[in-house]
Amino acid sequence: VTILLKIMNLVNIGQMKSIGMAFVLICLIMILILGSVWAGLIAMIPNLFPLAVIAATMNLFSIDLDIMTIMIAPMIIGIAVDDTVHFFIHFKAELQGFRDYQRANQQTFVKIGHALLFTTVVLSIGFAILGFSSTAGIIHLSILSVVGIVSALIADFFIAPVLLTVIRPFGLFLPPKPA
């Protein structure tokens, strides 16, 4: 038992370090892709939100951090980042065309909202099926994965648009779209 606890402790420390490094690298990549430090930093909020929701869910339902639940964070980060990249890149393109934050948000939802919603539904159903397992670890993986995937969508649909509109990371006025 003592050896198992030491191993789990080492795995937890390794996961925390790798998650931290992943967020730094993802933030730098977002800054480069979006061409704005503020936009890159803002884009990290919808990516952190699902991890906070997962941690709160684990605390609320007394789910321990174990070998199965420790794997959820990197997986959810990947899914959240994918959705956020799509949202922010489409938003920036719409903003360059319309030069209006509200209109850019609306058009972003029109163009990619359904795709983000459908991928969330499909992924959630896929992970929910794991909930029929007889193994507690796999059931926890199922529940927490669905919670993380859905909260990533909520962050992209509700938190990101508000942050973009309020903070205006791409400036008040953009150069006209090149002809």
Side-chain angles (χ1 to χ4, degrees), residues 36-170:
S36 164
V37 172
W38 280 111
L41 292 172
I42 291 168
M44 295 312 294
I45 294 170
N47 297 322
L48 286 169
F49 180 75
L51 298 182
V53 173
I54 290 170
T57 303
M58 289 177 72
N59 187 40
L60 182 67
F61 294 105
S62 300
I63 298 173
D64 293 327
L65 196 59
D66 59 25
I67 202 70
M68 293 302 284
T69 56
I70 198 82
M71 294 188 308
I72 296 168
M75 178 182 60
I76 297 302
I77 289 170
I79 293 168
V81 167
D82 182 59
D83 287 353
T84 303
V85 165
H86 286 292
F87 188 89
F88 275 70
I89 287 175
H90 278 83
F91 177 87
K92 184 177 178 185
E94 296 299 329
L95 185 61
Q96 288 172 338
F98 291 109
R99 299 173 52 98
D100 177 82
Y101 278 79
Q102 293 289 356
R103 185 77 191 264
N105 264 326
Q106 291 169 348
Q107 289 304 306
T108 300
F109 280 105
V110 167
K111 290 194 176 169
I112 66 162
H114 286 108
L116 294 180
L117 178 63
F118 291 140
T119 56
T120 297
V121 169
V122 169
L123 286 170
S124 295
I125 290 170
F127 279 103
I129 290 169
L130 294 174
F132 293 106
S133 172
S134 58
T135 308
I138 294 176
I139 293 169
H140 293 155
L141 176 80
S142 169
I143 293 166
L144 296 173
S145 295
V146 171
V147 165
I149 291 165
V150 170
S151 62
L153 179 73
I154 289 169
D156 283 327
F157 274 14
F158 298 103
I159 296 172
V162 171
L163 291 172
L164 286 167
T165 304
V166 171
I167 298 174
R168 297 179 180 262
F170 299 109

Side-chain angles (χ1 to χ4, degrees), residues 3-13 65-67:
I3 294 173
L4 185 60
L5 288 174
K6 286 181 181 179
I7 291 170
M8 280 303 299
N9 189 37
L10 289 172
V11 169
N12 289 343
I13 291 169
L65 196 59
D66 59 25
I67 202 70

